[in-house]
Amino acid sequence: MTNELQAPEKLTPENLAPEKLTKKDVRTAWVRFYFAQEIAHSFDKYLAPALTWALTPVLKKLYKDPKDQAEAYQRHLLFFNTQLSWGGGTITGIMASLEEARAQEVYKQEDITIDDDLIYNTKSGLMGALAGIGDAIDSGTIQYILIAIALPWAQAGNAIGALFPFIAFSLYQLGIGNYFAQLGYKLGRTAAGEIVGDKMKGIIEGLSIMGLFMMGILASSYVKVSSSLKFNLSGKEFVIQDILDKIMPGLLPLAVVAGVYLFFTRKGMNVTKALIGLTIILGVLAGVGIL
């Protein structure tokens, strides 16, 4: 029995034709980027290797000529860095859309309007803007809402209180990233306009308001400040904390949170200085019997 070596398939105009991308292809690219985002992180390319790996199945369907595939890989191995779901999802979909249009131009031997510069400039122009939105919403709002929901469970000693924020946040990013990837593929370069459009601005504003409510709930529940000051006047004892509770319960915790907020707005987000200053102020007030 002899083993025969098969010759590589001969390239013809028929088998060079790019295949039509499907929603599954875009979803697969997004999921690959989701899991590989930080694995191939390097200082010179940042997340570019992860994006290239994510797009590999897409590029193989679009470019049948190994030379065209190699050029596509090189296009996406340039510096790239953005937030995972809002930036990564949207740009993954947009890149699939642009590469599909370019592959048709290559196959039909038309003038290449979607050149390397256009593809990279689209990425570089969107990655910072979308990252800013994504960080503010995901890391600055959604994450803390989920933590606030789970805190009572954690305080009660329930393990779900520790696991829920991580699991829920991961599933949220996986789902919303797929939505943005499909949107990016469907709308191409106009997807970014959809994300920052009026409808999405309303959703972002609503989430921001919800986040503020959750921060208020956390502050009132977990910031404990009370006054021990009391005095006698005409034989009647006055307890300052009781008086404050009648005027506005939680007034002192609110004053502390407001003071820290004002410090951050005027001096910048210097947490260490805020903690040291707060410790000194509260320690002095406690020492003289006010708190």
Side-chain angles (χ1 to χ4, degrees):
M1 183 175 180
T2 60
N3 293 325
E4 295 183 0
L5 294 176
Q6 293 183 347
E9 183 180 4
K10 184 179 179 181
L11 297 176
T12 64
E14 290 73 20
N15 60 26
L16 281 175
E19 300 177 49
K20 174 65 179 175
L21 297 182
T22 65
K23 288 185 177 182
K24 182 180 178 181
D25 294 324
V26 177
R27 181 169 61 251
T28 299
W30 154 243
V31 172
R32 286 165 69 96
F33 182 75
Y34 176 84
F35 284 106
Q37 185 202 23
E38 295 289 347
I39 294 177
H41 198 151
S42 65
F43 287 106
D44 57 335
K45 299 182 184 299
Y46 268 65
L47 309 181
L51 180 64
T52 305
W53 184 75
L55 291 173
T56 296
V58 168
L59 298 176
K60 286 183 176 180
K61 288 189 70 172
L62 296 177
Y63 301 105
K64 303 302 181 178
D65 189 330
K67 176 177 176 294
D68 293 332
Q69 283 185 24
E71 290 176 353
Y73 296 148
Q74 290 297 322
R75 277 196 296 275
H76 294 287
L77 280 173
L78 299 175
F79 178 89
F80 175 70
N81 187 33
T82 192
Q83 188 266 351
L84 174 60
S85 55
W86 291 66
T90 307
I91 293 173
T92 298
I94 292 175
M95 290 301 104
S97 176
L98 292 179
E99 289 290 357
E100 185 175 34
R102 178 190 171 105
Q104 287 292 339
E105 293 180 344
V106 172
Y107 173 67
K108 295 176 181 178
Q109 297 183 347
E110 299 174 346
D111 292 336
I112 304 300
T113 59
I114 303 175
D115 57 15
D116 293 4
D117 288 340
L118 186 144
I119 290 176
Y120 184 73
N121 289 339
T122 299
K123 278 196 298 186
S124 61
L126 293 177
M127 63 186 185
L130 294 177
I133 298 173
D135 286 337
I137 298 302
D138 286 7
S139 301
T141 304
I142 299 296
Q143 191 174 43
Y144 291 105
I145 290 175
L146 297 175
I147 291 173
I149 292 173
L151 272 176
W153 302 333
Q155 282 190 318
N158 194 330
I160 194 66
L163 298 175
F164 174 79
F166 298 102
I167 296 173
F169 189 63
S170 298
L171 293 177
Y172 156 79
Q173 286 200 308
L174 187 61
I176 198 171
N178 179 62
Y179 167 77
F180 286 134
Q182 300 294 344
L183 181 67
Y185 174 72
K186 179 181 178 182
L187 300 179
R189 285 179 292 165
T190 63
E194 184 74 14
I195 291 176
V196 298
D198 293 336
K199 182 179 179 181
M200 192 58 67
K201 284 181 180 178
I203 295 174
I204 293 173
E205 186 176 353
L207 288 171
S208 299
I209 293 172
M210 183 184 296
L212 290 174
F213 273 112
M214 297 305 295
M215 291 302 102
I217 293 170
L218 286 174
S220 64
S221 300
Y222 299 104
V223 178
K224 304 295 184 183
V225 182
S226 60
S227 175
S228 59
L229 186 63
K230 55 186 177 181
F231 57 90
N232 288 307
L233 186 61
S234 300
K236 185 177 180 180
E237 185 179 58
F238 291 87
V239 180
I240 295 299
Q241 187 59 50
D242 292 342
I243 297 173
L244 293 176
D245 289 341
K246 292 178 181 179
I247 298 172
M248 182 179 176
L251 180 59
L252 290 180
L254 176 62
V256 172
V257 173
V260 173
Y261 174 76
L262 289 174
F263 174 82
F264 285 149
T265 56
R266 294 181 179 181
K267 302 296 183 181
M269 196 69 181
N270 195 318
V271 179
T272 302
K273 285 185 178 180
L275 287 173
I276 294 174
L278 195 60
T279 301
I280 295 174
I281 293 171
L282 294 179
V284 171
L285 293 177
V288 298
I290 295 178
L291 298 181

